[in-house]
Amino acid sequence: MKLFTRRAGTSHRMRRALSLPLIACLGLSLSLTGCSSSDSGHKIRIGIKYDQPGMGYQDGKEFTGFDVDVARYVAKKLGYSENQIEFVESPSANRENMLANGQVDMIFATYSITDSRKKTIDFAGPYYVAGQDLLVRADEKDITGPDTLNGKNLCSVTGSTSAKKIQDKFAKQVNLVNQNSYSDCVVALNGGVVDAVTTDDIILAGLASTKANRGKLKLVGKTFTTEKYGVGLPKGSDKCEAINKAINEMVEDGTWQKLVEKNTAGTGYSYDASKNPPKPTGGCA
Ligand code: GLU
């Protein structure tokens, strides 16, 4: 009885200390649930890449790319207006931590669904299927696939599936150089510090077709993995089904096709139609 009284007292003090809307919105930093977006004006924090042209790219105050466009579409379906979205940079190596710490609510960042990542976070989706490839200088003749990397310096990104694949499968032949981002790898490639860059084909295509790189770099064009891009969510999220539904609607209403074409225009890249568009089903991936 005494315990009960004390508890009731605490909750009474809490009620006085916190305004009602604040209580309703308190869970928002860790989950997407809680108060409705229209009455509170709260933000949803979405993790994206800032330096992957055509996927997630910061251009002054603007954000562009397929991931950014898909994020906007999904957020809208979840009830968030454009000005409620706050984009946050999520480098490959930081993504799981950023979700676990509540620094972001969702991540759309060329983020492959993997069993090891699913131990700490949830994924909705997939909304795109890419494949790992190699990017080399335009005059490169020797590197024609992952089995031709003997003695070569290869750049990839810490915390990515791309770097892990090389470590697991080709570590004996290859000198792997890890950077924090693929744009840093491209600087190393242009400077002759590395002989190739490896990650997903759609990322490499975007990097190769920027004004600065056009004509200087080329994709090898033989993918050797399957990368299913998911929407990263905190573990235990109840949003997978709603996000999957939004992704399926995006495909059905023609938006998916339009967004892929818009964001890969001029790159010479086309998606693998045998794997795309994917069809997410049920709850979390
Ligand atoms: N899709 C791969 C991954 O999630 C490579 C791209 C990236 O690092 O964002 O690790």
Side-chain angles (χ1 to χ4, degrees):
M1 200 58 211
K2 206 176 166 210
L3 198 68
F4 174 78
T5 311
R6 207 184 296 151
R7 265 194 201 151
T10 307
S11 94
H12 179 68
R13 275 200 301 279
M14 271 182 69
R15 266 203 302 276
R16 277 194 306 186
L18 301 169
S19 71
L20 270 177
L22 183 56
I23 291 170
C25 298
L26 217 52
L28 274 168
S29 59
L30 293 173
S31 75
L32 305 175
T33 56
C35 50
S36 99
S37 50
S38 52
D39 58 18
S40 68
H42 73 265
K43 300 262 179 190
I44 181 159
R45 288 152 314 150
I46 301 182
I48 58 165
K49 295 294 182 72
Y50 275 18
D51 63 349
Q52 294 179 193
M55 293 307 286
Y57 191 71
Q58 185 187 37
D59 190 0
K61 281 186 182 160
E62 300 295 310
F63 296 99
T64 60
F66 181 66
D67 281 339
V68 171
D69 286 339
V70 173
R72 287 190 173 119
Y73 184 100
V74 169
K76 191 172 179 193
K77 291 276 178 183
L78 295 178
Y80 296 90
S81 66
E82 182 85 9
N83 55 22
Q84 285 176 294
I85 299 174
E86 187 188 322
F87 287 115
V88 179
E89 186 173 21
S90 298
S92 295
N94 301 3
R95 290 175 294 198
E96 290 88 88
N97 275 340
M98 291 181 80
L99 286 166
N101 299 340
Q103 284 169 269
V104 290
D105 301 302
M106 326 193 257
I107 288 185
F108 294 73
T110 59
Y111 202 4
S112 298
I113 300 168
T114 70
D115 287 341
S116 95
R117 289 172 179 163
K118 282 200 288 188
K119 286 178 190 151
T120 49
I121 63 150
D122 281 345
F123 282 105
Y127 60 90
Y128 189 80
V129 184
Q132 186 170 351
D133 201 346
L134 296 164
L135 182 71
V136 293
R137 287 180 292 272
D139 61 359
E140 174 64 50
K141 294 199 175 58
D142 301 340
I143 301 173
T144 53
D147 47 354
T148 60
L149 292 166
N150 249 331
K152 303 286 185 187
N153 296 322
L154 176 66
C155 192
S156 199
V157 166
T158 311
S160 68
T161 56
S162 321
K164 186 155 194 324
K165 183 79 182 178
I166 299 298
Q167 267 153 12
D168 293 352
K169 293 265 150 105
F170 306 100
K172 283 200 190 91
Q173 303 103 284
V174 183
N175 174 29
L176 183 61
V177 178
N178 275 330
Q179 295 289 321
N180 289 323
S181 76
Y182 301 106
S183 58
D184 289 343
C185 280
V186 167
V187 171
L189 181 61
N190 278 326
V193 177
V194 297
D195 306 299
V197 177
T198 189
T199 189
D200 307 335
D201 50 2
I202 193 165
I203 300 173
L204 297 176
L207 287 164
S209 63
T210 61
K211 233 189 207 162
N213 295 328
R214 191 161 300 174
K216 291 190 196 161
L217 306 174
K218 64 179 181 190
L219 262 77
V220 167
K222 273 186 235 148
T223 58
F224 50 95
T225 70
T226 297
E227 308 295 324
K228 295 182 180 176
Y229 289 177
V231 181
L233 296 163
K235 191 92 193 147
S237 171
D238 60 357
K239 288 288 169 270
C240 291
E241 219 153 316
I243 293 172
N244 289 348
K245 187 166 169 270
I247 291 167
N248 284 321
E249 282 167 8
M250 181 177 66
V251 171
E252 275 153 35
D253 70 14
T255 304
W256 184 93
Q257 184 76 31
K258 257 189 237 154
L259 294 180
V260 174
E261 282 170 10
K262 176 186 119 185
N263 287 298
T264 57
T267 64
Y269 173 85
S270 52
Y271 63 84
D272 183 343
S274 70
K275 294 174 181 163
N276 283 290
K279 209 173 165 9
T281 48
C284 300

